[in-house]
Amino acid sequence: MKGMENIRNFCIIAHIDHGKSTLADRLLEFTGTLNQRQMQAQVLDNMDLEREKGITIKAHAIQMNYRLDGREYTLNLIDTPGHVDFSYEVSRSIAACEGALLIVDAAQGIQAQTISNLYLALDHNLEIIPVMNKIDLPAAMPEEVTDQIVDLIGCKREDVIRASAKEGIGIEEILKAAVNRIPPPTGNTNAPLQAMIFDSVFNSFRGIEVYFRVFNGAIRKNDKVKFVNTGMEYNADEIGVLKLDKHPCDEISTGNVGYLISGIKVAKEVKVGDTITHANRPGEAIKGFENVKPMVFAGIYPVETSEFEELRASMEKLQLNDAALVWEPETSAALGFGFRCGFLGMLHMEIVQERLEREFGMTVITTVPSVEFRATLTSGSVITINAPSEMPDPTTMAFIEEPFIAAQIISKAEFIGPIITLCMDKRGIIKNQVYLTSDRVELSFDMPLSEIVFDFFDKLKTISKGYASLDYHLIGFRESDMVKLDVMLNGDRVDALSAIVHRAKSYEWGRKLCEKLKELIPRHMFEVAIQASIGQKIIARETVSAMRKNVLAKCYGGDISRKRKLLEKQKKGKKRMRQIGTVEVPQEAFMAVLKIN
């Protein structure tokens, strides 16, 4: 087994679409890890969804061998996502590395996510290697972008590697820099085993595969291992390193990254961030790995109520592979049994829903997303509200607080006006505005999280022609005038359509929601009244008119009173039908709230 001084662990961090996965492809090709037959574009993005959307959702680890000056080096590379919703994946990857390649697009320069990922890496004291990618583009501005990188990191101009992943320029320089600049892992091979789990995935044949990084000690095949947080013990049936496929081996020592299969069947027994150690010679748990904080909450319900248990099993398996997903069971009068889930953002929610449908064949209904509110009651106790149904009676509430975020938006100077208007419209408070260069501005806002979870990101991209980039973090709770908006169909509340909104926006929201539902709810044999209310007060109403059967068809000629008699009879029938009839709400109607602009 090669010594630790020949191992390098690094990840690739960058803003979305700056060429991380393509660069990873070139590195794998250059080191001969893949042959031509295995090669495809973005080879590490192995999920269908990732390939379709052209984004990385999961961090992917792979091992390469590289010879330099007659020595063989083992490089463990982790390709990370760039979207703000998946920064949790990035933080896990960073915890398993000693260095990071910071990729910056030569045509677009430094974006918000570049900066936030950089700070994550600096918090873990990683060695940063700046790489300027896409220098082959006609729109590339190598000199200006180099200045931006030097300003941001404080490195020398000659430290910035110029590369083009598409054309294969600068790949060798990157590998040399990885070997020369990134420190080898430190740790003691003879100490008790300490390995951190940074990912896991469900394999239906062999149970759960656990991916880990060894910090101290060594793990051998057939060792008896213990997971510190859960206290469970297993037998290491197979261990090995991650190439494109898994390569079994007999020992993984300090500093290396590998996988473990031990026939674990229960999803709850594996927690990302847990420490693996030997059962007979236990080590300490590794510190410095925080729990994920969900930002957006929504209910996920099976379309068929009988599939509840199946959905639970699917959620558990999905949670293995996506540690940022948090859920607990809940019930709804309109939709039956389901789960209240916590997501990192709207894209994360969309991806989870897609993955449930594709990977587990579950069709689900998702309710209106909301954020976590905090209510202080007149009695002095504080409760958290994750769903509109948990909102207490307004008379028992002293005040309600909502989460606020600090948002940084980096954009071209020409879009400042529309961006400020958008943020003000979303109840944002402008804090600062800094010109990074003559035409790039960084705007800072304090905004309520509930305003940005819906479509803020899409609107921001639209008004800035795709240029603006957003990064945000939670700064705490502030008092707000929030009210619960209920939707009633023929006087019955539909809890799945309720939302918690700011009082100033509630009238407009209620009106638009009623209009939207009028389009989506099909006509019945009786009239359907759609009403939006706050407490007892109705603030908007739309009516879906009844389908009419022509009862006068058989009356030709004759006295008007005959016709009137038949119409009266029909009227009574409609009235009775309305009392016993139920309004069918199609699935699209539950999604209507998301589409309110």
Side-chain angles (χ1 to χ4, degrees):
M1 198 72 190
K2 297 194 289 293
M4 267 193 305
E5 61 280 358
N6 290 358
I7 297 177
R8 300 287 182 273
N9 298 319
F10 61 97
C11 56
I12 303 185
I13 55 179
H15 189 77
I16 192 164
D17 259 353
H18 280 197
K20 295 176 292 300
S21 301
T22 314
L23 186 77
D25 290 354
R26 293 295 91 77
L27 294 173
L28 294 176
E29 255 182 356
F30 190 87
T31 54
T33 309
L34 302 182
N35 55 37
Q36 274 324 105
R37 192 170 54 90
Q38 294 168 311
M39 198 62 219
Q40 52 170 343
Q42 285 90 25
V43 67
L44 292 180
D45 291 350
N46 49 14
M47 204 190 299
D48 292 345
L49 258 179
E50 293 182 311
R51 307 197 69 84
E52 277 170 32
K53 290 182 181 282
I55 55 175
T56 306
I57 294 168
K58 292 286 304 163
H60 301 276
I62 192 161
Q63 190 176 85
M64 314 178 282
N65 294 333
Y66 176 58
R67 287 190 77 80
L68 182 67
D69 306 334
R71 282 176 71 177
E72 181 92 13
Y73 291 94
T74 300
L75 308 180
N76 289 312
L77 157 77
I78 303 182
D79 175 26
T80 66
H83 195 282
V84 64
D85 278 11
F86 301 114
S87 54
Y88 182 65
E89 287 283 332
V90 182
S91 74
R92 298 194 337 220
S93 314
I94 284 175
C97 294
E98 277 85 33
L101 298 181
L102 182 74
I103 314 285
V104 180
D105 183 329
Q108 291 189 7
I110 285 172
Q111 306 269 311
Q113 210 44 41
T114 319
I115 298 175
S116 86
N117 286 344
L118 172 71
Y119 288 150
L120 269 179
L122 290 175
D123 284 348
H124 283 79
N125 299 325
L126 298 200
E127 177 65 38
I128 307 286
I129 299 178
V131 177
M132 184 167 52
N133 193 17
K134 307 197 185 180
I135 55 166
D136 58 311
L137 288 184
M141 311 172 292
E143 297 311 319
E144 290 168 42
V145 176
T146 306
D147 289 341
Q148 288 178 19
I149 297 173
V150 171
D151 285 348
L152 181 67
I153 306 178
C155 60
K156 299 189 187 71
R157 282 185 77 90
E158 55 270 19
D159 287 348
V160 181
I161 300 172
R162 297 188 172 199
S164 162
K166 201 162 146 206
E167 301 295 328
I169 303 166
I171 302 302
E172 193 169 1
E173 285 76 37
I174 293 174
L175 287 166
K176 280 183 182 161
V179 169
N180 295 330
R181 294 194 215 168
I182 295 174
T186 54
N188 181 354
T189 21
N190 301 320
L193 171 69
Q194 272 184 311
M196 184 186 77
I197 301 176
F198 66 87
D199 207 355
S200 56
V201 57
F202 186 79
N203 177 332
S204 44
F205 301 108
R206 314 198 52 185
I208 293 158
E209 301 166 3
V210 179
Y211 298 158
F212 61 87
R213 148 87 201 263
V214 185
F215 283 97
N216 282 309
I219 181 170
R220 289 171 195 80
K221 197 175 168 179
N222 297 328
D223 276 354
K224 193 119 170 88
V225 294
K226 177 179 174 183
F227 287 16
V228 179
N229 281 344
T230 53
M232 305 296 285
E233 298 189 359
Y234 307 100
N235 203 28
D237 298 339
E238 181 183 311
I239 59 169
V241 294
L242 297 153
K243 296 277 173 95
L244 192 56
D245 304 314
K246 297 177 201 60
H247 282 253
C249 57
D250 291 332
E251 179 184 56
I252 294 175
S253 61
T254 308
N256 221 333
V257 174
Y259 70 92
L260 161 78
I261 298 179
S262 54
I264 306 170
K265 292 283 184 286
V266 185
K268 288 192 189 69
E269 294 174 17
V270 179
K271 284 194 168 46
V272 169
D274 199 352
T275 306
I276 306 175
T277 182
H278 280 129
N280 52 8
R281 191 181 164 208
E284 296 285 303
I286 298 168
K287 297 212 174 27
F289 198 80
E290 75 264 26
N291 267 335
V292 54
K293 290 187 185 60
M295 296 273 190
V296 179
F297 295 86
I300 286 189
Y301 292 84
V303 174
E304 295 293 330
T305 32
S306 55
E307 291 178 353
F308 174 70
E309 282 305 324
E310 217 174 305
L311 179 62
R312 180 197 289 270
S314 305
M315 297 282 271
E316 284 184 358
K317 289 171 190 170
L318 184 59
Q319 194 175 21
L320 278 178
N321 195 238
D322 183 352
L325 178 64
V326 185
W327 53 270
E328 60 195 28
E330 76 162 357
T331 54
S332 144
L335 299 171
F337 290 100
F339 296 97
R340 187 92 207 147
C341 306
F343 308 97
L344 297 180
M346 292 297 280
L347 177 70
H348 185 208
M349 178 172 133
E350 191 186 317
I351 297 290
V352 165
Q353 202 180 337
E354 281 269 307
R355 287 184 69 181
L356 280 170
E357 290 187 3
R358 291 183 180 209
E359 295 173 30
F360 304 102
M362 300 296 308
T363 39
V364 293
I365 296 178
T366 315
T367 64
V368 190
S370 75
V371 298
E372 182 175 83
F373 296 98
R374 204 185 273 169
T376 305
L377 304 180
T378 42
S379 60
S381 56
V382 178
I383 56 168
T384 54
I385 303 167
N386 283 337
S389 56
E390 295 168 12
M391 187 104 158
D393 186 358
T395 52
T396 62
M397 225 165 22
F399 59 89
I400 185 167
E401 295 171 302
E402 63 172 333
F404 263 72
I405 55 158
Q408 279 99 21
I409 297 172
I410 297 183
S411 170
K412 289 200 156 180
E414 62 195 271
F415 305 120
I416 289 185
I419 289 176
I420 292 180
T421 314
L422 172 71
C423 294
M424 294 296 185
D425 184 42
K426 299 281 187 189
R427 300 191 285 129
I429 304 153
I430 186 158
K431 285 292 184 194
N432 199 355
Q433 143 176 5
V434 185
Y435 276 82
L436 302 171
T437 62
S438 58
D439 79 332
R440 284 168 68 81
V441 187
E442 180 178 19
L443 299 165
S444 308
F445 289 92
D446 284 0
M447 291 172 77
L449 179 64
S450 57
E451 292 283 343
I452 75 155
V453 295
F454 280 116
D455 53 358
F456 178 75
F457 195 63
D458 298 346
K459 282 189 176 165
L460 180 68
K461 283 286 186 205
T462 311
I463 58 177
S464 65
K465 301 192 176 138
Y467 270 111
S469 58
L470 167 78
D471 183 46
Y472 59 84
H473 59 270
L474 216 54
I475 49 175
F477 284 78
R478 293 186 191 173
E479 198 177 322
S480 285
D481 186 10
M482 308 303 289
V483 290
K484 180 181 172 193
L485 183 74
D486 281 313
V487 173
M488 300 193 293
L489 298 178
N490 281 352
D492 295 331
R493 290 213 163 109
V494 183
D495 57 353
L497 288 170
S498 313
I500 298 176
V501 289
H502 194 266
R503 193 181 295 273
K505 294 194 161 188
S506 57
Y507 286 86
E508 187 192 4
W509 181 276
R511 197 189 75 243
K512 284 187 173 166
L513 186 52
C514 288
E515 285 169 6
K516 198 84 190 161
L517 286 170
K518 183 181 177 180
E519 294 166 18
L520 292 167
I521 289 178
R523 285 173 67 180
H524 290 59
M525 291 308 292
F526 51 92
E527 188 176 275
V528 178
I530 305 169
Q531 293 165 307
S533 71
I534 295 173
Q536 298 304 312
K537 186 177 172 194
I538 305 286
I539 57 170
R541 165 170 176 149
E542 292 285 337
T543 309
V544 179
S545 52
M547 284 198 269
R548 215 170 137 262
K549 178 183 168 199
N550 188 357
V551 290
L552 303 180
K554 57 177 184 266
C555 289
Y556 48 92
D559 188 17
I560 182 74
S561 57
R562 284 184 61 201
K563 294 183 183 174
R564 194 158 289 145
K565 186 175 159 193
L566 283 169
L567 286 172
E568 284 297 320
K569 192 174 165 191
Q570 186 190 33
K571 201 167 165 187
K572 276 190 190 139
K574 293 262 185 220
K575 199 171 167 188
R576 194 169 71 238
M577 202 190 290
R578 182 175 165 174
Q579 282 166 353
I580 58 165
T582 50
V583 182
E584 291 216 345
V585 185
Q587 185 178 344
E588 294 81 66
F590 290 112
M591 302 307 288
V593 191
L594 304 182
K595 309 225 166 31
I596 290 181
N597 40 10

